[in-house]
Amino acid sequence: MSAIQNKLFIGGKFVDAKDGATIAVHNPHDNSLITHVAEAKAADVDAAVDAAERAFPLWSGMAAAERGKLLLKLADRIEAEADALAQLEAIDTGHPIRDAKNIDVLRTAACYRYFGGMADKFQGSVIPVDAGFINYVQRAPIGVVGQIVPWNFPLMFTSWKLGPALAAGNTVVMKPSEITPLSTLRIAELMAEIGFPEGVVNIVIGYGHTAGQHLAEHPKVGKISFTGSTETGRRIVEASKGNLKRVQLELGGKGANIVFDDANLIAAVNGSAWAIFHNQGQACIAGSRLIIHEKVADEFLERFVKLASSIRLGNPLDPETEMGPLTSTLHRDRVLSYVDIAQQQGATILTGGKAPSNPDLSKGCYIEPTVVRAKPTDRVSQEEVFGPFVSVTTFKDDAEALQIANMTEYGLGGGLWTRDLSRAHKMAREIRAGMVWVNSYKRVNPGSPFGGVGQSGYGREMGFEAMHDYTEAKSVWVNVDAQILPHFKR
Ligand code: NAD
């Protein structure tokens, strides 16, 4: 692996923080120190916003196809560097290397490629208005956009945010999570090499309450795109009110995953394990609530628990590893605290609920895949645990399944397993969520809108929806040969 970049990226240059502060970044496999990264505070964020503001006329004035070409080049470079990027992501986040390479890196490249192709295909429109007038609507970039990213999928989420923002002609100040900033800095290095003009993208690593808050409040920032917890999302909305900046929020989730009695049980068991245990359950769309028809519950759970307890935990860099550590010690402890909470409310731990006994993993942030039988009203069935922790409950009929599915405050992702076509469509319509998967779970694609309802936030990433969210409609009226209205005619 080449030397790891650890400075802020402002105005096309890698720089130390103005006050020289740094943040330690650790490998969650053994908590060893990887590097210290520069820590941005308000003055560094100001410098980044100024650089983005200076770059805006050039970037937004460039032919859309030229912007697209740079994004396409970036996609190619990411694929060419797949191994190194996957390694960096694996040591920084704990993602198993095979997922980091085959999912994170490939989806990241696909996302930049999609929006690279989109840049010159996202069109305005001509509206049939009053006689004698032409009215056309342009999709104008917003200006300087602030983007705040969490630690669970840093590489991929960076592409979800940068791709549409840049394709649409905005310039960006991005604040990655202070816990996992490394792959984002590598992307910045690639952008600089490829020839993105300086200041188009600026990366400020820093803590949420300082750098993040300052960015969210900044009067020169026209929009904040935020992915993170619902609690922080509320702070972002508060912080945005000074200049009424636009806000798009991708927040928490508590995905309902319903298994009906006519489901292909083997597919449902495998798919449900993927739904919760991929990335150690640290996914906002994770299928963290299994809702199973009582007729098939025993057979399903026997198979599911067996599968969960056979998942290979290990060093993320080992290609055989299926589940790595959680991303930080603090978070591991938070997830483990939910085991006590579950037991206090009378839930039964069917498997897991503790750190693995393997001494090779004793220094890391590992937790065994955990399956808990709980009431739908229990805290573990209502609150986002954000770990390899699934709560299981049963239902008698479709109406009860739907009632349980819709009884949390969240509304991000949800899934269902059935062979009955009309039930599938009906449930997909009725589940309160931004995304529903039928006989699968956790599919994403750069063309398909991603986001939630209720406490899961608003606005959408990906696809044309994202391009709309990163632009303003500008309506232009041209008098071609219209008669001037009689008022004030002299
Ligand atoms: P978090 O809200 O603590 O932090 C997210 C980001 O916000 C980080 O970069 C953090 O530094 C920053 N931040 C924290 N306080 C801030 C403040 N006051 N002002 C501005 N920025 C601030 O969340 P997290 O623990 O990093 O991530 C996990 C959460 O993210 C989970 O709740 C999860 O569901 C959610 N998430 C949602 C989606 C989605 O697309 N809906 C995707 C991934 C994660």
Side-chain angles (χ1 to χ4, degrees):
M1 201 181 291
S2 53
I4 291 174
Q5 180 56 253
N6 58 6
K7 294 185 194 272
L8 311 178
F9 185 57
I10 298 178
K13 294 183 183 59
F14 287 95
V15 295
D16 288 318
K18 285 186 193 295
D19 68 358
T22 60
I23 301 174
V25 178
H26 293 97
N27 179 341
H29 164 61
D30 55 7
N31 279 306
S32 58
L33 180 74
I34 305 174
T35 185
H36 284 93
V37 290
E39 181 201 340
K41 302 216 180 86
D44 306 285
V45 173
D46 287 342
V49 172
D50 287 345
E53 192 184 36
R54 281 195 301 275
F56 180 69
L58 172 76
W59 185 248
S60 57
M62 202 184 251
E66 292 301 312
R67 292 197 298 264
K69 212 189 272 177
L70 288 167
L71 288 167
L72 294 171
K73 275 192 192 166
L74 180 61
D76 291 344
R77 276 301 297 275
I78 288 168
E79 277 174 352
E81 284 217 2
D83 286 328
L85 265 171
Q87 272 203 25
L88 192 60
E89 192 75 338
I91 62 166
D92 200 13
T93 64
H95 294 196
I97 189 79
R98 61 188 204 171
D99 290 352
K101 186 166 173 196
N102 297 322
I103 299 175
D104 303 50
V105 172
L106 293 188
R107 284 187 183 170
T108 298
C111 183
Y112 284 119
R113 188 163 290 126
Y114 175 86
F115 285 107
M118 170 76 89
D120 60 351
K121 291 160 199 80
F122 185 63
Q123 301 171 344
S125 52
V126 179
I127 315 290
V129 288
D130 310 335
F133 283 94
I134 291 177
N135 175 247
Y136 60 91
V137 178
Q138 290 175 308
R139 300 299 314 187
I142 294 167
V144 178
V145 164
Q147 302 184 323
I148 301 179
V149 186
W151 45 260
N152 56 336
F153 290 100
L155 181 66
M156 216 166 70
F157 285 165
T158 301
S159 70
W160 291 17
K161 294 197 185 298
L162 288 178
L166 297 177
N170 301 284
T171 55
V172 176
V173 176
M174 172 174 281
K175 195 202 85 61
S177 165
E178 60 280 11
I179 301 170
T180 56
L182 302 182
S183 58
T184 311
L185 290 174
R186 180 63 192 142
I187 294 294
E189 285 184 323
L190 294 180
M191 287 180 145
E193 278 172 41
I194 288 165
F196 278 80
E198 61 187 43
V200 166
V201 171
N202 305 273
I203 312 287
V204 287
I205 303 142
Y207 292 106
H209 64 282
T210 51
Q213 184 78 24
H214 193 66
L215 184 60
E217 286 170 356
H218 208 292
K220 290 182 181 173
V221 170
K223 166 177 170 162
I224 287 280
S225 169
F226 172 76
T227 300
S229 61
T230 299
E231 195 187 335
T232 309
R234 282 200 193 90
R235 288 207 191 99
I236 300 282
V237 173
E238 272 291 313
S240 71
K241 68 186 184 193
N243 68 336
L244 297 177
K245 57 174 67 66
R246 289 169 66 163
V247 176
Q248 174 241 322
L249 301 171
E250 301 291 351
L251 309 176
K254 192 72 188 173
N257 183 23
I258 311 171
V259 181
F260 289 93
D261 57 354
D262 66 339
N264 173 339
L265 224 55
I266 304 292
V269 166
N270 291 335
S272 302
W274 169 254
I276 182 63
F277 297 125
H278 165 233
N279 198 30
Q280 295 75 260
Q282 301 168 128
C284 47
I285 54 176
S288 54
R289 288 184 297 148
L290 253 174
I291 305 167
I292 314 172
H293 194 285
E294 59 182 16
K295 266 202 232 159
V296 293
D298 287 347
E299 188 188 346
F300 180 95
L301 280 175
E302 195 187 324
R303 291 177 188 275
F304 185 75
V305 167
K306 200 164 155 207
L307 193 165
S309 49
S310 74
I311 290 175
R312 290 190 299 274
L313 262 69
N315 186 339
L317 293 180
D318 180 344
E320 294 299 311
T321 292
E322 292 177 318
M323 232 179 79
L326 277 78
T327 299
S328 71
T329 313
L330 199 70
H331 185 57
R332 191 261 325 262
D333 294 346
R334 182 180 172 274
V335 172
L336 278 177
S337 76
Y338 272 99
V339 176
D340 296 335
I341 292 170
Q343 284 170 327
Q344 278 158 19
Q345 293 196 297
T348 315
I349 312 295
L350 301 180
T351 184
K354 56 185 187 332
S357 52
N358 180 350
D360 294 346
L361 309 182
S362 63
K363 289 188 188 153
C365 311
Y366 290 88
I367 300 185
E368 289 180 355
T370 301
V371 183
V372 176
R373 190 140 191 172
K375 296 182 290 300
T377 48
D378 284 355
R379 282 183 60 190
V380 289
S381 306
Q382 291 291 318
E383 297 173 18
E384 187 179 45
V385 179
F386 217 57
F389 187 114
V390 62
S391 70
V392 182
T393 191
T394 57
F395 66 90
K396 285 191 177 55
D397 55 29
D398 290 16
E400 193 186 7
L402 189 62
Q403 187 227 343
I404 296 172
N406 286 348
M407 72 189 285
T408 79
E409 59 183 7
Y410 295 111
L412 193 59
L416 57 107
W417 301 83
T418 179
R419 290 184 166 105
D420 180 332
L421 197 60
S422 91
R423 169 190 276 154
H425 285 294
K426 189 159 181 284
M427 283 288 163
R429 191 182 64 199
E430 303 291 333
I431 290 176
R432 193 166 155 267
M435 292 156 288
V436 177
W437 298 278
V438 177
N439 294 327
S440 76
Y441 202 96
K442 250 184 162 194
R443 301 298 310 174
V444 293
N445 183 283
S448 182
F450 186 103
V453 299
Q455 301 292 300
S456 295
Y458 46 76
R460 291 293 180 268
E461 304 210 271
M462 316 285 230
F464 283 84
E465 301 267 350
M467 294 299 287
H468 273 273
D469 269 14
Y470 278 106
T471 52
E472 308 275 14
K474 180 175 222 173
S475 171
V476 180
W477 290 75
V478 182
N479 183 346
V480 180
D481 56 4
Q483 295 302 310
I484 300 299
L485 294 172
H487 324 296
F488 309 121
K489 233 177 180 177
R490 299 286 185 269

